[in-house]
Amino acid sequence: MNKQASDVSGMFDGVARRYDRTNTVLSGGNDILWRAATVRAVAPVAGERILDVAAGTGTSSAALARTGARVVAVDFSPGMIAEGRRRHKKIEFIEADAEKLPFGDDEFDAVTISFGLRNVNDPKRALSEMYRVLKPGGRLVVCEFSKPPVAILRAGYHAYLKYVLPIVADRASSNPEAYTYLAESIREWPDQGELSQWIRGAGFIRVAYRNLTGGVVALHRGRKPVDATVLASVAKRKGAATRTKTTSTPAAAPTVE
């Protein structure tokens, strides 16, 4: 699926006002349980600095902030950011791309992203950015739609995405077309094992996941290493990968205007 940032951002601008209500309807209220599970996985401590990527209107950020943590909410949709600022005046909202986070290295105690990694054009790059801005020992939590491991549940879920979700979205959302994209992006998203590999590939250790709602959603966790030798090894590997990618990319042909 081609996910141009400007197109996806504009799509979310169009659903910002009714986004949270629609999500609650479409999930049968499970979004509240998923959010609570995510907060428990992040395990915020008062005074910690936490980055909430793809924060949308800030519902997840507010849940984290209630623990006393200092939360920075990032999203690439101006409409979502505007709605978030209107609702949550004490939370800092920043418009930014997950692939180019506007922060220095080692700034945050924890980074989380809920149902947003799937909307990023290059999820692996976004994971590397989250690794970069985390302090050594910092925690990553990714809550994302996934694939139920039990065949009968998986078939029922796919039927829901194909037949039921469009009808509900048409009645509950201000932009039903956005939820057609939602269903397609869920179907094309990798399973729990592959996403775990991506997280390890970004440099995280202690990577694990647990299924929520039968695997409709999976909660992934990882840690940025503390050991200086391991950190240096990860940096060296990423540097080598970047150089290989750069040298292997053919130069663009000159254009004539």
Side-chain angles (χ1 to χ4, degrees), residues 114-127:
S114 296
F115 307 107
L117 190 60
R118 193 185 69 262
N119 299 318
V120 177
N121 186 52
D122 189 344
K124 293 180 181 178
R125 183 173 177 180
L127 287 168

PDB file of all heavy atoms in Angstrom, residues 114-127:
ATOM      1  N   SER A 114       0.541   4.076  19.414  1.00  0.00           N
ATOM      2  CA  SER A 114      -0.655   3.233  19.394  1.00  0.00           C
ATOM      3  C   SER A 114      -1.390   3.398  18.072  1.00  0.00           C
ATOM      4  O   SER A 114      -1.839   4.501  17.741  1.00  0.00           O
ATOM      5  CB  SER A 114      -1.586   3.604  20.553  1.00  0.00           C
ATOM      6  OG  SER A 114      -0.981   3.336  21.800  1.00  0.00           O
ATOM      7  N   PHE A 115      -1.481   2.322  17.324  1.00  0.00           N
ATOM      8  CA  PHE A 115      -2.233   2.277  16.073  1.00  0.00           C
ATOM      9  C   PHE A 115      -1.756   3.335  15.078  1.00  0.00           C
ATOM     10  O   PHE A 115      -2.549   3.850  14.292  1.00  0.00           O
ATOM     11  CB  PHE A 115      -3.736   2.440  16.346  1.00  0.00           C
ATOM     12  CG  PHE A 115      -4.243   1.461  17.372  1.00  0.00           C
ATOM     13  CD1 PHE A 115      -4.579   1.882  18.650  1.00  0.00           C
ATOM     14  CD2 PHE A 115      -4.335   0.119  17.079  1.00  0.00           C
ATOM     15  CE1 PHE A 115      -5.022   0.985  19.605  1.00  0.00           C
ATOM     16  CE2 PHE A 115      -4.776  -0.794  18.030  1.00  0.00           C
ATOM     17  CZ  PHE A 115      -5.116  -0.365  19.294  1.00  0.00           C
ATOM     18  N   GLY A 116      -0.467   3.653  15.136  1.00  0.00           N
ATOM     19  CA  GLY A 116       0.081   4.660  14.228  1.00  0.00           C
ATOM     20  C   GLY A 116       1.229   4.160  13.388  1.00  0.00           C
ATOM     21  O   GLY A 116       1.490   4.695  12.303  1.00  0.00           O
ATOM     22  N   LEU A 117       1.940   3.142  13.851  1.00  0.00           N
ATOM     23  CA  LEU A 117       3.089   2.648  13.093  1.00  0.00           C
ATOM     24  C   LEU A 117       2.659   2.136  11.726  1.00  0.00           C
ATOM     25  O   LEU A 117       3.379   2.255  10.737  1.00  0.00           O
ATOM     26  CB  LEU A 117       3.794   1.533  13.881  1.00  0.00           C
ATOM     27  CG  LEU A 117       5.153   1.072  13.355  1.00  0.00           C
ATOM     28  CD1 LEU A 117       6.153   2.226  13.343  1.00  0.00           C
ATOM     29  CD2 LEU A 117       5.695  -0.080  14.196  1.00  0.00           C
ATOM     30  N   ARG A 118       1.457   1.606  11.669  1.00  0.00           N
ATOM     31  CA  ARG A 118       0.898   1.064  10.429  1.00  0.00           C
ATOM     32  C   ARG A 118       0.682   2.164   9.375  1.00  0.00           C
ATOM     33  O   ARG A 118       0.634   1.890   8.176  1.00  0.00           O
ATOM     34  CB  ARG A 118      -0.442   0.400  10.781  1.00  0.00           C
ATOM     35  CG  ARG A 118      -1.055  -0.489   9.738  1.00  0.00           C
ATOM     36  CD  ARG A 118      -2.434  -0.976  10.201  1.00  0.00           C
ATOM     37  NE  ARG A 118      -3.411   0.095  10.232  1.00  0.00           N
ATOM     38  CZ  ARG A 118      -3.769   0.775  11.318  1.00  0.00           C
ATOM     39  NH1 ARG A 118      -3.229   0.496  12.484  1.00  0.00           N
ATOM     40  NH2 ARG A 118      -4.664   1.743  11.244  1.00  0.00           N
ATOM     41  N   ASN A 119       0.561   3.407   9.830  1.00  0.00           N
ATOM     42  CA  ASN A 119       0.291   4.516   8.908  1.00  0.00           C
ATOM     43  C   ASN A 119       1.549   5.227   8.430  1.00  0.00           C
ATOM     44  O   ASN A 119       1.463   6.166   7.644  1.00  0.00           O
ATOM     45  CB  ASN A 119      -0.621   5.538   9.599  1.00  0.00           C
ATOM     46  CG  ASN A 119      -1.957   4.946   9.983  1.00  0.00           C
ATOM     47  OD1 ASN A 119      -2.550   4.198   9.215  1.00  0.00           O
ATOM     48  ND2 ASN A 119      -2.434   5.269  11.173  1.00  0.00           N
ATOM     49  N   VAL A 120       2.706   4.787   8.915  1.00  0.00           N
ATOM     50  CA  VAL A 120       3.978   5.409   8.537  1.00  0.00           C
ATOM     51  C   VAL A 120       4.468   4.796   7.232  1.00  0.00           C
ATOM     52  O   VAL A 120       4.378   3.579   7.030  1.00  0.00           O
ATOM     53  CB  VAL A 120       5.025   5.206   9.651  1.00  0.00           C
ATOM     54  CG1 VAL A 120       6.370   5.779   9.253  1.00  0.00           C
ATOM     55  CG2 VAL A 120       4.540   5.844  10.951  1.00  0.00           C
ATOM     56  N   ASN A 121       5.001   5.626   6.354  1.00  0.00           N
ATOM     57  CA  ASN A 121       5.478   5.131   5.064  1.00  0.00           C
ATOM     58  C   ASN A 121       6.618   4.138   5.229  1.00  0.00           C
ATOM     59  O   ASN A 121       6.681   3.117   4.539  1.00  0.00           O
ATOM     60  CB  ASN A 121       5.925   6.303   4.187  1.00  0.00           C
ATOM     61  CG  ASN A 121       6.284   5.861   2.777  1.00  0.00           C
ATOM     62  OD1 ASN A 121       5.501   5.188   2.121  1.00  0.00           O
ATOM     63  ND2 ASN A 121       7.475   6.220   2.333  1.00  0.00           N
ATOM     64  N   ASP A 122       7.545   4.408   6.159  1.00  0.00           N
ATOM     65  CA  ASP A 122       8.686   3.524   6.414  1.00  0.00           C
ATOM     66  C   ASP A 122       8.717   3.195   7.912  1.00  0.00           C
ATOM     67  O   ASP A 122       9.396   3.873   8.682  1.00  0.00           O
ATOM     68  CB  ASP A 122       9.990   4.203   5.982  1.00  0.00           C
ATOM     69  CG  ASP A 122      11.191   3.268   6.025  1.00  0.00           C
ATOM     70  OD1 ASP A 122      11.092   2.191   6.667  1.00  0.00           O
ATOM     71  OD2 ASP A 122      12.242   3.603   5.434  1.00  0.00           O
ATOM     72  N   PRO A 123       7.985   2.164   8.346  1.00  0.00           N
ATOM     73  CA  PRO A 123       7.913   1.845   9.782  1.00  0.00           C
ATOM     74  C   PRO A 123       9.267   1.520  10.399  1.00  0.00           C
ATOM     75  O   PRO A 123       9.509   1.851  11.569  1.00  0.00           O
ATOM     76  CB  PRO A 123       6.976   0.634   9.825  1.00  0.00           C
ATOM     77  CG  PRO A 123       6.211   0.678   8.543  1.00  0.00           C
ATOM     78  CD  PRO A 123       7.145   1.268   7.543  1.00  0.00           C
ATOM     79  N   LYS A 124      10.157   0.885   9.638  1.00  0.00           N
ATOM     80  CA  LYS A 124      11.466   0.526  10.191  1.00  0.00           C
ATOM     81  C   LYS A 124      12.277   1.781  10.505  1.00  0.00           C
ATOM     82  O   LYS A 124      12.978   1.836  11.512  1.00  0.00           O
ATOM     83  CB  LYS A 124      12.227  -0.375   9.211  1.00  0.00           C
ATOM     84  CG  LYS A 124      11.592  -1.743   9.019  1.00  0.00           C
ATOM     85  CD  LYS A 124      12.390  -2.585   8.042  1.00  0.00           C
ATOM     86  CE  LYS A 124      11.755  -3.942   7.827  1.00  0.00           C
ATOM     87  NZ  LYS A 124      12.491  -4.768   6.851  1.00  0.00           N
ATOM     88  N   ARG A 125      12.176   2.763   9.648  1.00  0.00           N
ATOM     89  CA  ARG A 125      12.864   4.027   9.916  1.00  0.00           C
ATOM     90  C   ARG A 125      12.284   4.714  11.151  1.00  0.00           C
ATOM     91  O   ARG A 125      13.017   5.288  11.967  1.00  0.00           O
ATOM     92  CB  ARG A 125      12.756   4.945   8.699  1.00  0.00           C
ATOM     93  CG  ARG A 125      13.502   6.263   8.851  1.00  0.00           C
ATOM     94  CD  ARG A 125      13.488   7.042   7.567  1.00  0.00           C
ATOM     95  NE  ARG A 125      14.152   8.334   7.722  1.00  0.00           N
ATOM     96  CZ  ARG A 125      14.286   9.227   6.758  1.00  0.00           C
ATOM     97  NH1 ARG A 125      13.820   8.957   5.544  1.00  0.00           N
ATOM     98  NH2 ARG A 125      14.876  10.373   6.975  1.00  0.00           N
ATOM     99  N   ALA A 126      10.959   4.647  11.295  1.00  0.00           N
ATOM    100  CA  ALA A 126      10.324   5.241  12.466  1.00  0.00           C
ATOM    101  C   ALA A 126      10.787   4.545  13.752  1.00  0.00           C
ATOM    102  O   ALA A 126      11.045   5.203  14.762  1.00  0.00           O
ATOM    103  CB  ALA A 126       8.804   5.150  12.331  1.00  0.00           C
ATOM    104  N   LEU A 127      10.915   3.227  13.709  1.00  0.00           N
ATOM    105  CA  LEU A 127      11.403   2.493  14.880  1.00  0.00           C
ATOM    106  C   LEU A 127      12.834   2.897  15.218  1.00  0.00           C
ATOM    107  O   LEU A 127      13.199   3.021  16.392  1.00  0.00           O
ATOM    108  CB  LEU A 127      11.320   0.985  14.624  1.00  0.00           C
ATOM    109  CG  LEU A 127       9.910   0.382  14.645  1.00  0.00           C
ATOM    110  CD1 LEU A 127       9.937  -1.044  14.100  1.00  0.00           C
ATOM    111  CD2 LEU A 127       9.324   0.402  16.058  1.00  0.00           C
TER     112      LEU A 127
END
